[in-house]
Amino acid sequence: MAKTKTRFVCQDCGHDAPRWVGQCPGCAAWNTMVEEATPTTVKTPVLRTPKNGGSSPRLAGAYGGTRPQRLQDVSVREQPRLTTGLAEFDRVMGGGIMHGSLTLVAGDPGIGKSTLMTELGRHLAEHTILYVTGEESAQQVKLRAERLGIDPNAFYLFPETNVEAILAAAQDLQPDVMIVDSIQTVFRPDLTSAPGSVTQVRESTAALLDLTKSLPVSTFLVGHVTKAGSIAGPRVLEHMVDTVLYFEGDRHHAYRVLRAMKNRFGAAHEIGVFEMRERGLVEVGNPSALFLAERSYGQSGSVVVCAMEGTRPLLVEVQALVTPASYGTPQRTANGFDARRLQLLLAVLEKREGLRCSQQDVFLNIAGGVRLDEPAVDLAVALAVASSFRDVPADSSTVVAGEVGLGGEIRAVSRVEQRLAEARHLGFEQVLLPKANTKNLEVPNGLTLLPVNRLGQALDAVL
Ligand code: TYD
Ligand code: MG
């Protein structure tokens, strides 16, 4: 039986409440609860026994014929993956697109999500692709595909937003890959709330998830990100899908980073780097060289870090500018780095090394528009700030990696060998790294290590 009831759902996290509240009980955000009417289907399993008319005790109800299985009876077939040949994309997906997987591709409007999905047409030309477009007309998608030079036979276009029609079309066509652009435009006609609302996004995704697993088809859902940075619609979406990819980058820069935030079939935090060109997205095979291309030599406040993004080392320039504060409260701005982590590092610099930053404006920028949130970036940030504060350039042939503790100690980082190899590969001569990492370490030819225990030693070593 189905009945309609009203409830209030948080636009951020999807938490629901029976009545309106100012603050979401789930994520503590203010003014995010909106009213939604949703039919709730109540299915109560009934235990049928000889007493109430059944022959033997068994459950009747909403179960689709599946039974619990012993572990040994579960058949494991090698799941085939579709490799696109777009190496950056395949790596982020964990080695290709898993058969029957549901992937969410999230990003700011205009960042290039539709372009990336259209590119799949070029690389999976011998497979059947269904491109459901809810935002653009079929003509618009066709024009883009033409601009990208994609074979006009590459995919089937379906301008539709009704989820039932989409399911029917997919059942009919049996595609290998289905793209839904975007999930915010799709709706279930039996729900009263508007497309893009929490309920619609969640319920449409549930229906598409069912289809993905039952057909099976590899499905990509394109999702927009809100200003606050979360995927519009409920957080619950992230739990429903197998893989969450973020497509990010500065719209004024040509670089785009595709990042796996979650991947049931591969390493999370894996990244792929692309460049947006006139004729589509081009893979960047050596992103470190790209990120260092515009590096400022001999300037204070510039330090090169070797960060690990997933399984890949990445050399990036960290820039800091420290100037006396012109107004009462000094400003702290961090671009591509966690602002609170910057505050913490400033406090450590002040308390442990006597760097009086409290009356200084501090601006931090990770060059190239990438975002780094690995602990090993700490040391480079601290050194860049100190370098700008003292107006002394850091040694430009040195790469830095290390986590900074609250006591000013330098803590070990992961995967040092890979970081060293990347530094060598790009022609750096020295690596400043935590002392704890240097035990039994094989050092590539031509590279000198500068092991440090304390922040003070690191400052002395490069400034
Ligand atoms: P799009 O894929 O439509 O973004 P999204 O789907 O994430 O909203 O891409 C939008 C931008 O990309 C648009 O401003 C134009 C630019 N672009 C290029 O620079 N080169 C290209 O080949 C294409 C197709 C788009
Ligand atoms: Mg788009």
Side-chain angles (χ1 to χ4, degrees):
M1 78 191 117
K3 61 179 185 180
T4 304
K5 73 173 187 185
T6 305
R7 44 188 202 135
F8 293 85
V9 185
C10 172
Q11 292 284 311
D12 277 354
C13 74
H15 193 96
D16 57 17
R19 68 187 75 83
W20 190 82
V21 280
Q23 188 180 24
C24 169
C27 65
W30 289 93
N31 289 326
T32 54
M33 305 299 285
V34 291
E35 185 174 349
E36 301 234 344
T38 173
T40 50
T41 314
V42 188
K43 286 178 186 156
T44 320
V46 186
L47 186 63
R48 293 208 178 276
T49 63
K51 267 189 193 159
N52 66 11
S55 52
S56 61
R58 66 188 167 88
L59 281 174
Y63 304 103
T66 52
R67 295 236 177 280
Q69 274 179 302
R70 277 189 196 279
L71 209 47
Q72 65 170 15
D73 299 331
V74 178
S75 64
V76 183
R77 271 168 292 143
E78 186 51 48
Q79 292 283 350
R81 286 180 191 258
L82 272 184
T83 46
T84 62
L86 198 60
E88 295 291 299
F89 183 81
D90 285 343
R91 200 190 39 256
V92 174
M93 292 297 291
I97 305 168
M98 190 60 115
H99 195 49
S101 62
L102 184 61
T103 303
L104 177 68
V105 181
D108 288 328
I111 204 71
K113 301 178 295 296
S114 303
T115 309
L116 180 69
M117 292 293 102
T118 313
E119 285 282 345
L120 291 183
R122 184 201 315 276
H123 295 276
L124 294 172
E126 66 281 23
H127 294 87
T128 311
I129 303 178
L130 175 61
Y131 195 118
V132 180
T133 168
E135 290 186 355
E136 296 161 300
S137 65
Q139 289 87 333
Q140 281 171 304
V141 179
K142 179 170 181 188
L143 284 177
R144 177 167 56 235
E146 270 177 3
R147 183 137 80 96
L148 299 182
I150 287 169
D151 180 358
N153 286 317
F155 43 72
Y156 289 85
L157 270 179
F158 192 37
E160 181 56 72
T161 51
N162 182 338
V163 93
E164 284 171 4
I166 297 171
L167 297 188
Q171 295 280 5
D172 191 33
L173 188 67
Q174 303 268 332
D176 301 302
V177 174
M178 178 167 77
I179 296 155
V180 179
D181 189 358
S182 68
I183 188 64
Q184 273 93 18
T185 58
V186 172
F187 72 100
R188 259 179 57 172
D190 54 327
L191 301 180
T192 49
S193 40
S197 66
V198 178
T199 311
Q200 283 289 8
V201 169
R202 182 171 52 199
E203 297 303 318
S204 306
T205 305
L208 292 166
L209 174 64
D210 257 2
L211 177 87
T212 299
K213 302 294 168 185
S214 62
L215 258 184
V217 51
S218 304
T219 306
F220 289 87
L221 306 178
V222 172
H224 293 297
V225 162
T226 60
K227 276 216 189 77
S230 64
I231 299 165
R235 198 40 73 66
V236 76
L237 209 63
E238 295 189 18
H239 302 297
M240 289 164 79
V241 302
D242 298 311
T243 304
V244 179
L245 305 180
Y246 270 85
F247 203 37
E248 42 184 51
D250 192 332
R251 215 173 321 162
H252 307 292
H253 276 95
Y255 320 129
R256 300 284 182 270
V257 176
L258 185 68
R259 185 188 298 267
M261 296 302 282
K262 160 185 171 179
N263 194 349
R264 288 194 181 135
F265 310 118
H269 304 292
E270 199 69 79
I271 67 162
V273 183
F274 298 87
E275 196 182 337
M276 183 67 104
R277 296 245 186 99
E278 263 306 290
R279 301 190 145 265
L281 289 160
V282 182
E283 300 184 80
V284 176
N286 187 350
S288 295
L290 181 87
F291 291 132
L292 293 179
E294 291 169 287
R295 197 175 146 208
S296 45
Y297 288 91
Q299 294 272 8
S300 66
S302 160
V303 172
V304 175
V305 63
C306 188
M308 290 302 298
E309 290 295 330
T311 57
R312 157 189 262 189
L314 203 61
L315 296 182
V316 187
E317 182 189 3
V318 176
Q319 299 181 314
L321 186 66
V322 181
T323 55
S326 32
Y327 287 103
T329 317
Q331 298 187 56
R332 275 93 177 79
T333 314
N335 209 348
F337 188 73
D338 181 16
R340 271 195 286 184
R341 189 83 198 155
L342 172 64
Q343 299 269 25
L344 185 150
L345 293 171
L346 292 178
V348 174
L349 278 169
E350 176 139 3
K351 180 94 179 174
R352 307 291 169 199
E353 302 305 326
L355 222 72
R356 304 232 150 269
C357 292
S358 49
Q359 287 312 310
Q360 309 281 328
D361 286 339
V362 179
F363 305 97
L364 185 79
N365 182 36
I366 309 292
V370 266
R371 209 190 146 72
L372 300 178
D373 44 20
E374 200 215 354
V377 183
D378 285 357
L379 186 54
V381 170
L383 290 177
V385 168
S387 160
S388 178
F389 181 82
R390 293 183 183 168
D391 207 10
V392 178
D395 184 275
S396 64
S397 63
T398 305
V399 168
V400 173
E403 182 178 348
V404 177
L406 292 187
E409 77 279 14
I410 307 299
R411 297 168 164 262
V413 297
S414 61
R415 299 182 190 253
V416 190
E417 282 88 357
Q418 272 173 279
R419 296 183 206 252
L420 293 186
E422 182 75 357
R424 183 76 208 100
H425 182 58
L426 281 137
F428 284 86
E429 291 158 15
Q430 303 186 90
V431 178
L432 184 77
L433 78 177
K435 188 147 195 197
N437 275 125
T438 52
K439 238 189 246 163
N440 305 329
L441 190 63
E442 261 187 51
V443 186
N445 268 343
L447 211 57
T448 314
L449 298 189
L450 301 172
V452 288
N453 268 331
R454 314 255 340 138
L455 190 50
Q457 289 176 326
L459 293 175
D460 294 341
V462 291
L463 297 185

